[in-house]
C-alpha cells in the first residue's frame, strides 16, 4: 500500500513522524520482500522528504488543516492520486464536521478519476444530550450532512463499546457508547 498520513502540523511533527520512523524498514513475512528497493515510491509520495518504506509499501506524512484549502497544502499530484480517505474518531465536536466534509469534498473532486471513497469511524459521545447535543456530533448529524451533499452513506459496522474514563479524583468510571464505521461516496461521475 501507499499511504499519506495527515494531521495538524503539531501532531505530524510530534507524533506521526516519529511513529513512521520507528516502523521504517519493517519487513513482512513474505519471501518476496524487495530489499533492493526495485519498487520505488510513486512520485507523488516521493516528493515528501519524510517518505519511508514500510513493509512492501510506502508511507509519508504531511500536515493537513481542514480549515485551509487543500490546494495550498497538498501538491496537485498528491490530491489527484488519493483513492481512499480513512478517518478515525475525528469529528466528535460539531464544529469539526463541516470542515472535514469540505476537505473530503475537495479530495473527491480533485481525484474523481480514482472513484475515491471515504471510510469514517465514529464514536458516539452524545449519550446525555442525545440528538439535540450542541457540542458533540451525532450520528444523525453525520448522516444528514453527508446526504445534503448528495453523497451516499452506508453503515459498514456498528457495535456497543465500554469506555473507561478516569475522573479527576482518580476513580475510573465506565460508560457505554457506540462505534460506527461509515462508507461515504460521492454520487457524481468524473
Amino acid at each position: 500500500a501507499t499511504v499519506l498520513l495527515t494531521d495538524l502540523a503539531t501532531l505530524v511533527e510530534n507524533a506521526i513522524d516519529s511513529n513512521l520512523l520507528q516502523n521504517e524498514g519493517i519487513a513482512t513475512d513474505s519471501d518476496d520482500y524487495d530489499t533492493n528497493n526495485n519498487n520505488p515510491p510513486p512520485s507523488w509520495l516521493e516528493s515528501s522528504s519524510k517518505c519511508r518504506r514500510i513493509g512492501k509499501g510506502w508511507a509519508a506524512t504531511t500536515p493537513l488543516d481542514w480549515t485551509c484549502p487543500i490546494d495550498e497544502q497538498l501538491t496537485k499530484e498528491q490530491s489527484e492520486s488519493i483513492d481512499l480517505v480513512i478517518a478515525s474518531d475525528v469529528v466528535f465536536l460539531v464544529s469539526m464536521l463541516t470542515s472535514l466534509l469540505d476537505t473530503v469534498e475537495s479530495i473527491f473532486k480533485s481525484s474523481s478519476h480514482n472513484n475515491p471513497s471515504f471510510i469514517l469511524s465514529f464514536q458516539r459521545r452524545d449519550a446525555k444530550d442525545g440528538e439535540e447535543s450542541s457540542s458533540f456530533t451525532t450520528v444523525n448529524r453525520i448522516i444528514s450532512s453527508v446526504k445534503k451533499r448528495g453523497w451516499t452513506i452506508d453503515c459498514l459496522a456498528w457495535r456497543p463499546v465500554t469506555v473507561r474514563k478516569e475522573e479527576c479524583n482518580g476513580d475510573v468510571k465506565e460508560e457505554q457508547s457506540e462505534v460506527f464505521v461509515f462508507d461515504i461516496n460521492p454520487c457524481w461521475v468524473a
Side-chain angles (χ1 to χ4, degrees), residues 25-86:
I26 292 177
T28 64
D29 293 336
S30 175
D31 293 334
D32 62 353
Y33 179 70
D34 183 7
T35 56
N36 297 321
N37 203 19
N38 291 326
N39 182 18
S43 59
W44 65 269
L45 197 67
E46 193 173 36
S47 63
S48 171
S49 63
K50 297 180 178 165
C51 184
R52 304 278 187 242
R53 179 76 174 206
I54 309 290
K56 291 183 183 181
W58 293 95
T61 62
T62 194
L64 185 63
D65 183 335
W66 302 338
T67 64
C68 300
I70 66 164
D71 61 352
E72 294 175 7
Q73 303 176 80
L74 301 178
T75 67
K76 184 177 185 214
E77 191 177 16
Q78 284 173 328
S79 63
E80 289 178 350
S81 299
I82 297 169
D83 59 2
L84 178 62
V85 175
I86 301 173

Side-chain angles (χ1 to χ4, degrees), residues 5-21 50 61-64:
L5 303 161
T6 66
D7 209 320
L8 295 174
T10 301
L11 293 171
V12 168
E13 293 166 17
N14 295 300
I16 299 174
D17 280 345
S18 61
N19 189 304
L20 193 61
L21 189 57
K50 297 180 178 165
T61 62
T62 194
L64 185 63

